[in-house]
Amino acid sequence: MTETIKLNVNGVEHSVTAEADTPLIYILRNDLNLMGTRFGCGLGQCGACNVLIDGNNVASCDTPLWAAAGKRTTTIEGLGTPDHLHPLQQAFVDEQAAQCGYCVNGIIISAKALLDRNPEPGEDEIRAALDRNLCRCGTHNRFIRAIQRMVREAKGNVAR
Amino acid sequence: MSNSTAKLPPTLDKNRRLDRWVRINIEGTVTVRTGKVEIGQGIVSAIAQIAAEELDINYSRIRMMPVDTTISPNEGSTSGSRSVEEGGEAMRQACAEIRDALLQAAARKFDTSLEKLSVEDGTIRVRGSSDTITYWQLAPEANLARDATGQVRPKHADEFKLVGKALPRLDITAKLTGAAFIHDLVLPGMLHGRIVRPPSYRAKLLSLDDGAARAMPGVRAIVREGSFIGVIAGREEQAVKAMQALARGCEWREQADLPDVDAMPEFLLAQAAEDENLSDKSAASTAPGKTLTATYTRPYLAHASIGPSCALAWWHEGTLEVWSHSQSIYALRDEIAKILKLSPDNVIARHADGAGCYGHNGADDAAFDAVLLARAVEGHPVRVQWMREDEFAWEPFGPAMVVKVGGSLSVNGNVTEWKEEIWGNRHVSRPGRHPDPGLLAAWHFDQGYEPPPAVDMPLAMGGGSQRNAVPYYDFPGQSVINHAVKAMPVRTSTLRALGAYINVFAIESFMDELAAAAGIDPVEFRLRHLKDERAQAVIRAAAAKAGWKPNAKGDGTHGMGIGFARYKNIGDYVAVIAKVAVAESVRVVRVVAAIDCGCIVNPDGIINQVEGGIVQATSWTLKEQVRFDRTRITTRTWEDYPILNFSEAPKVETVLINRPEQASLGVGEGMAGPTAAAIANAVFNAMGVRVRELPMTPERIVAAMGE
């Protein structure tokens, strides 16, 4: 049975009609055309589809539509655009932190969740925060360097 | 880089028309078509860099186009670390000729000679005059609708302005902001498909009750062709639910025809095989010293891309269009046409980026799935995405293998005799390599198509199972035999580095065993058996960077080990030194790699590949093994197939040795074998325990300690 459910995604109110148990990822990608959230496993094991819901880092493949109703969802598109990259995205570009790039957006979302609660994490804290994100190309160290760059630059901006 | 232009690079020779490679656009951009595809390795950007260099234009003017069988050059498959070697060389020559054609047109226009012209970012100037003209102005009159001649010399290394620079990749910003992959393509009227795969390789469908699925909302069609079943729905989640309902309605007959996953070496050694001598040279008789033997094994390994395979297909007006992240777009087109008895002229295949590809995965199969489903809803494009479980259960795995090595040492510690035998399936099952159809769904048709046997490339082209089986060292006596096992109970094909992963692991582990028996430092032992100075140079560079101390012993838990190979014995030179810490499990703390890949196109691209290859090979080596029972592949999710996580990934430092005058060599795969050996040798250095079976799980370490 389909229902009409209200969502707030990247600050925009949406009303979508689908079965309430539909995994959120399909709504984001196919109804809202937010393709930066990637399907990886459908079981919440790889992190490729991570989004923020009320600031919490969750797997959108494993989250039913109803669970996002009335909450604020943030996808990679909510951080920045190609012309106006979020500083985290910019740091990833600056470090060329991608190989295939499929897992990256889930990693940026996990990094955002980490930095929101701990703006100056140490390397071990960054690694631990990403342990539920899988990367198959072996780009781990570049991702860590990108996040460290973002932290460094954010600090520099504050100091100035 | 080669100076010779007498002969065209092979893939340019096969696609001589210059306008297939490059189009100069009047608005000041340049459209570039390579036959190589982006599979996460950054190759399309490296080829763009080469094109910009030879054309003398800014990199930002380049517009790279994905492979499209209606227009792109056919450069075969994107595999074997050959993209810069083949595709880069072809692009270099094509662009040199195009630049020449443009300069010729300018010379005619200004009635001057080529020597008087110079180019900067597409603007041609006449020396000693104010005359200028741009490529974009000349585009209409420079005739590119002609064949390459090989009469134009590409730049010398000392003329490079862009090659050798760490330019940013062209695709990254799009990938980390939104739609960028094949998974994200949306076509008008597109429907969603899912496949209900059999529960095991050779299961037969006895009956199908599709009543429940048919009644589900959004279901548009159910396709059945023998034991192949698929469903098409309006919405993606509807297709997933219908697929699950269909699976519940299936009755299968299965057979327990798989070997014992925990006894694969015994299985492989007992099979009928095609034997081939890879090397046979007899030593002058020497006084025998010590003789050692050892056996090394590897399990089946999964590509395990983070994004499951995806494809789109669309039948309309007598034409079939297919979008795929296949490594071989032309071969995919031909294979689809062959199975469905279509003319290849009526099939268009196009590449779109997929998630990381480390060899022959489910990409081609998903494309054929989409074709079969879309045929049932002509006029509608159908997007098929495999579920994670489909990818794990049905992708072709890198084959399990066994390598036995024996060696003799002279009294002064030199290898006098090397004997090596390898067992396993051949490694290449890509579509188009055999008359039988190489696409999964066809094997489930009622016609009873059989999966084609895997093949190997000839050793001179790098081989497959036998890749790097012949040591690069100079031994007076040597015999190497490949026992290519014919039975293929588990679906296998190419996985990054192919046989080189275990062959180098075995050779380099055994070199350490011999060095220890001879009482010689492992670095010194390798150097004294290598004549090639480039090989010696990477070993020395890695040792210097890692702070290698000759004859240093580990402290019981920490140790360092080295591995070396020249990939395919004709490719890049790689030396890897790993530092490990062994507690309840092996942790790789730091890895240093030194690489000589000839002329460097993009140093950061190379470092990215090297870092990634080392981390991935560390994951294979410490953790990975595909599991099955006697009937089914039981590896289905990431819980069944753990890979290295962020806390476990080693730090990697890379030393690049640039040789601008030498040919560029691919770097995608060369580090896999040396990394595995460096880890095993570091474990031995740390605690005196030799682990010869992969993966090096805690159980294997404990077992090796008891030996």
Side-chain angles (χ1 to χ4, degrees):
Chain A
M1 255 259 295
T2 59
E3 293 174 41
T4 298
I5 292 177
K6 284 195 174 5
L7 295 177
N8 181 307
V9 182
N10 300 331
V12 180
E13 299 289 337
H14 295 276
S15 169
V16 298
T17 303
E19 299 205 23
D21 65 351
T22 300
L24 179 62
I25 185 172
Y26 297 128
I27 302 296
L28 295 174
R29 290 179 54 83
N30 300 332
D31 292 84
L32 307 185
N33 195 31
L34 298 169
M35 294 289 188
T37 301
R38 321 254 183 241
F39 180 90
C41 67
L43 300 164
Q45 295 174 348
C46 76
C49 68
N50 281 5
V51 297
L52 301 178
I53 297 183
D54 283 352
N56 297 310
N57 187 19
V58 301
S60 63
C61 73
D62 207 19
T63 301
L65 171 59
W66 58 260
K71 296 184 177 156
R72 301 179 65 85
T73 299
T74 305
T75 71
I76 193 77
E77 291 88 350
L79 298 193
T81 63
D83 296 331
H84 298 280
L85 294 174
H86 183 275
L88 251 178
Q89 291 165 311
Q90 186 63 54
F92 274 63
V93 171
D94 292 342
E95 288 290 333
Q96 290 286 289
Q99 285 187 58
C100 81
Y102 199 87
C103 70
V104 180
N105 294 347
I107 284 164
I108 292 176
I109 292 289
S110 291
K112 177 79 166 61
L114 167 67
L115 297 176
D116 284 349
R117 65 171 189 272
N118 177 4
E120 290 181 34
E123 182 177 331
D124 288 349
E125 291 171 300
I126 298 173
R127 286 183 186 264
L130 299 181
D131 267 343
R132 289 173 57 83
N133 287 86
L134 298 181
C135 164
R136 186 53 165 164
C137 296
T139 322
H140 305 67
N141 291 304
R142 279 184 183 238
F143 295 145
I144 291 160
R145 293 202 289 269
I147 295 164
Q148 288 173 325
R149 174 192 278 259
M150 152 83 192
V151 169
R152 225 169 34 237
E153 288 176 357
K155 234 166 111 177
N157 285 341
V158 171
R160 256 183 263 132
Chain B
M1 247 163 268
S2 161
N3 295 334
S4 161
T5 53
K7 219 174 101 193
L8 289 173
T11 61
L12 180 58
D13 198 33
K14 288 185 191 132
N15 303 270
R16 291 186 173 201
R17 272 279 294 252
L18 293 175
D19 58 358
R20 278 200 110 169
W21 297 82
V22 170
R23 194 181 66 219
I24 309 286
N25 303 312
I26 51 172
E27 68 270 22
T29 59
V30 175
T31 302
V32 174
R33 297 183 187 277
T34 165
K36 298 297 180 182
V37 298
E38 183 59 51
I39 53 174
Q41 81 287 46
I43 208 63
V44 166
S45 298
I47 290 172
Q49 195 166 342
I50 290 170
E53 175 72 67
E54 287 299 331
L55 290 169
D56 273 322
I57 57 170
N58 285 351
Y59 181 63
S60 59
R61 293 190 187 273
I62 302 264
R63 302 288 178 269
M64 296 301 288
M65 303 305 287
V67 173
D68 176 327
T69 58
T70 64
I71 180 155
S72 300
N74 180 355
E75 294 192 88
S77 66
T78 300
S79 60
S81 298
R82 291 179 291 111
S83 296
V84 166
E85 295 170 28
E86 283 181 2
E89 273 306 292
M91 187 62 71
R92 181 187 322 279
Q93 180 65 30
C95 290
E97 300 209 9
I98 289 161
R99 177 182 182 276
D100 183 69
L102 291 159
L103 287 175
Q104 300 272 7
R108 282 194 301 274
K109 191 150 211 126
F110 296 127
D111 192 23
T112 184
S113 65
L114 281 187
E115 291 71 41
K116 290 236 164 91
L117 301 180
S118 65
V119 192
E120 194 183 341
D121 189 24
T123 298
I124 302 171
R125 287 172 216 285
V126 183
R127 233 166 277 135
S129 119
S130 60
D131 290 339
T132 67
I133 194 163
T134 65
Y135 287 179
W136 347 114
Q137 291 167 315
L138 280 170
E141 51 199 286
N143 177 21
L144 303 184
R146 63 168 182 81
D147 285 356
T149 62
Q151 298 302 311
V152 180
R153 176 189 68 77
K155 287 184 182 176
H156 274 136
D158 55 14
E159 300 170 272
F160 290 157
K161 295 185 198 114
L162 296 177
V163 164
K165 285 208 163 71
L167 299 183
R169 269 172 54 174
L170 299 169
D171 56 336
I172 287 184
T173 300
K175 284 176 179 168
L176 47 83
T177 49
F181 291 94
I182 188 167
H183 306 74
D184 312 329
L185 283 179
V186 180
L187 295 174
M190 186 174 88
L191 303 172
H192 291 273
R194 286 295 186 279
I195 311 302
V196 182
R197 291 276 177 226
S200 52
Y201 283 126
R202 286 159 288 271
K204 291 275 179 248
L205 183 62
L206 297 178
S207 67
L208 171 64
D209 176 0
D210 63 7
R214 272 190 198 286
M216 293 178 80
V219 171
R220 298 286 289 264
I222 290 165
V223 174
R224 179 177 171 188
E225 184 104 33
S227 297
F228 172 84
I229 309 163
V231 60
I232 303 158
R235 292 178 60 90
E236 191 166 10
E237 68 273 15
Q238 291 169 335
V240 173
K241 278 191 177 173
M243 170 198 77
Q244 291 159 344
L246 279 170
R248 288 190 293 270
C250 291
E251 192 190 346
W252 299 95
R253 187 179 66 233
E254 298 183 69
Q255 36 190 330
D257 56 6
L258 296 180
D260 177 355
V261 69
D262 293 316
M264 279 311 297
E266 295 81 349
F267 173 83
L268 292 171
L269 294 172
Q271 297 304 301
E274 295 165 358
D275 295 346
E276 55 190 359
N277 264 333
L278 304 177
S279 175
D280 194 2
K281 71 183 167 177
S282 12
S285 61
T286 45
K290 285 180 197 163
T291 294
L292 273 65
T293 60
T295 302
Y296 304 88
T297 67
R298 61 163 275 187
Y300 293 102
L301 291 172
H303 300 83
S305 180
I306 300 296
S309 294
C310 182
L312 282 73
W314 183 19
W315 296 75
H316 59 99
E317 292 117 26
T319 299
L320 169 61
E321 293 189 59
V322 184
W323 289 260
S324 169
H325 51 109
S326 166
Q327 291 172 273
S328 29
I329 290 293
Y330 275 91
L332 172 65
R333 176 198 65 175
D334 294 347
E335 197 78 347
I336 291 168
K338 183 175 84 185
I339 299 171
L340 299 182
K341 300 182 174 62
L342 303 169
S343 161
D345 295 339
N346 294 333
V347 183
I348 299 169
R350 298 194 179 92
H351 185 264
D353 290 4
C357 163
Y358 322 99
H360 178 197
N361 55 23
D364 299 278
D365 300 319
F368 191 48
D369 292 343
V371 167
L372 294 174
L373 295 199
R375 195 164 57 168
V377 286
E378 193 165 344
H380 284 280
V382 174
R383 173 188 183 275
V384 168
Q385 184 175 308
W386 282 14
M387 304 304 284
R388 165 59 43 203
E389 297 85 341
D390 298 329
E391 192 77 35
F392 266 127
W394 289 96
E395 66 150 282
F397 302 121
M401 289 180 72
V402 178
V403 178
K404 291 191 175 199
V405 196
S408 302
L409 289 165
S410 68
V411 284
N412 50 4
N414 289 326
V415 177
T416 53
E417 187 82 36
W418 180 279
K419 285 179 189 294
E420 183 186 322
E421 293 178 79
I422 69 177
W423 286 262
N425 288 131
R426 296 190 189 277
H427 281 236
V428 187
S429 308
R430 289 185 193 287
R433 304 290 172 110
H434 195 272
D436 289 334
L439 295 172
L440 172 61
W443 312 334
H444 298 144
F445 290 175
D446 279 335
Q447 284 99 313
Y449 288 128
E450 290 290 325
V455 298
D456 284 330
M457 269 82 75
L459 198 57
M461 290 172 61
S465 60
Q466 77 286 39
R467 180 167 294 176
N468 277 93
V470 178
Y472 198 64
Y473 298 101
D474 291 287
F475 302 138
Q478 168 173 291
S479 99
V480 182
I481 299 168
N482 183 20
H483 304 284
V485 170
K486 288 194 261 189
M488 204 166 91
V490 172
R491 186 184 187 202
T492 59
S493 191
T494 61
L495 170 67
R496 196 174 192 174
L498 283 64
Y501 171 60
I502 184 172
N503 293 330
V504 170
F505 167 67
I507 290 169
E508 288 296 297
S509 294
F510 198 66
M511 282 297 280
D512 246 51
E513 300 201 39
L514 289 169
I520 298 169
D521 176 69
V523 166
E524 163 58 23
F525 189 72
R526 284 169 173 79
L527 291 174
R528 66 156 74 178
H529 288 96
L530 281 168
K531 286 201 185 112
D532 186 336
E533 287 174 6
R534 291 173 71 179
Q536 295 184 347
V538 289
I539 291 175
R540 290 204 171 95
K545 178 81 175 177
W548 182 271
K549 294 189 183 61
N551 298 305
K553 284 274 167 286
D555 64 1
T557 54
H558 295 82
M560 254 195 212
I562 185 166
F564 158 80
R566 181 176 190 195
Y567 189 51
K568 303 178 183 175
N569 290 347
I570 52 174
D572 65 335
Y573 298 83
V574 181
V576 173
I577 292 178
K579 188 176 168 195
V580 300
V582 190
E584 65 275 20
S585 61
V586 177
R587 196 160 64 85
V588 181
V589 182
R590 178 189 179 213
V591 179
V592 170
I595 314 287
D596 170 356
C597 58
C599 174
I600 290 173
V601 176
N602 185 325
D604 190 58
I606 292 167
I607 291 169
N608 204 355
Q609 279 291 289
V610 171
E611 289 174 345
I614 285 171
V615 171
Q616 188 177 71
T618 302
S619 184
W620 295 349
T621 302
L622 297 184
K623 304 188 90 155
E624 297 183 28
Q625 177 175 18
V626 173
R627 305 283 310 176
F628 40 87
D629 61 24
R630 300 310 285 262
T631 307
R632 297 178 176 183
I633 302 297
T634 52
T635 293
R636 299 269 166 161
T637 73
W638 290 112
E639 273 184 5
D640 308 322
Y641 197 83
I643 62 173
L644 216 62
N645 66 24
F646 276 80
S647 294
E648 296 163 327
K651 295 203 180 231
V652 179
E653 294 159 67
T654 307
V655 182
L656 300 182
I657 300 176
N658 193 11
R659 298 192 188 272
E661 299 294 339
Q662 300 286 337
S664 297
L665 300 165
V667 295
E669 302 166 293
M671 63 301 265
T675 298
I679 294 169
N681 294 337
V683 169
F684 178 78
N685 180 254
M687 54 196 298
V689 171
R690 178 58 61 181
V691 188
R692 301 187 184 90
E693 291 170 77
L694 299 177
M696 292 180 212
T697 55
E699 300 73 40
R700 289 249 166 82
I701 305 281
V702 170
M705 286 168 77
E707 276 170 16

Short mmCIF file of all heavy atoms in Angstrom, two decimals, chain A residues 18 32 69 146 148:
data_model
loop_
_atom_site.label_atom_id
_atom_site.label_comp_id
_atom_site.label_asym_id
_atom_site.label_seq_id
_atom_site.Cartn_x
_atom_site.Cartn_y
_atom_site.Cartn_z
N ALA A 18 4.94 6.35 -2.06
CA ALA A 18 5.56 5.04 -2.23
C ALA A 18 5.16 4.17 -1.06
O ALA A 18 4.51 4.66 -0.12
CB ALA A 18 7.08 5.16 -2.29
N LEU A 32 13.79 11.69 -6.08
CA LEU A 32 14.34 13.04 -5.88
C LEU A 32 15.55 13.30 -6.76
O LEU A 32 16.13 14.39 -6.71
CB LEU A 32 14.69 13.25 -4.40
CG LEU A 32 13.57 12.96 -3.40
CD1 LEU A 32 14.00 13.31 -1.98
CD2 LEU A 32 12.29 13.71 -3.76
N ALA A 69 10.59 10.18 7.69
CA ALA A 69 9.47 11.12 7.63
C ALA A 69 9.60 12.17 8.73
O ALA A 69 9.89 11.83 9.88
CB ALA A 69 8.15 10.37 7.76
N ALA A 146 42.81 13.59 3.08
CA ALA A 146 41.86 14.63 2.70
C ALA A 146 41.14 15.17 3.93
O ALA A 146 40.95 16.39 4.07
CB ALA A 146 40.86 14.08 1.68
N GLN A 148 42.21 15.09 7.00
CA GLN A 148 43.19 15.84 7.79
C GLN A 148 43.43 17.22 7.19
O GLN A 148 43.58 18.20 7.89
CB GLN A 148 44.50 15.06 7.88
CG GLN A 148 44.39 13.83 8.77
CD GLN A 148 45.64 12.97 8.72
OE1 GLN A 148 46.28 12.85 7.68
NE2 GLN A 148 45.98 12.36 9.84
#
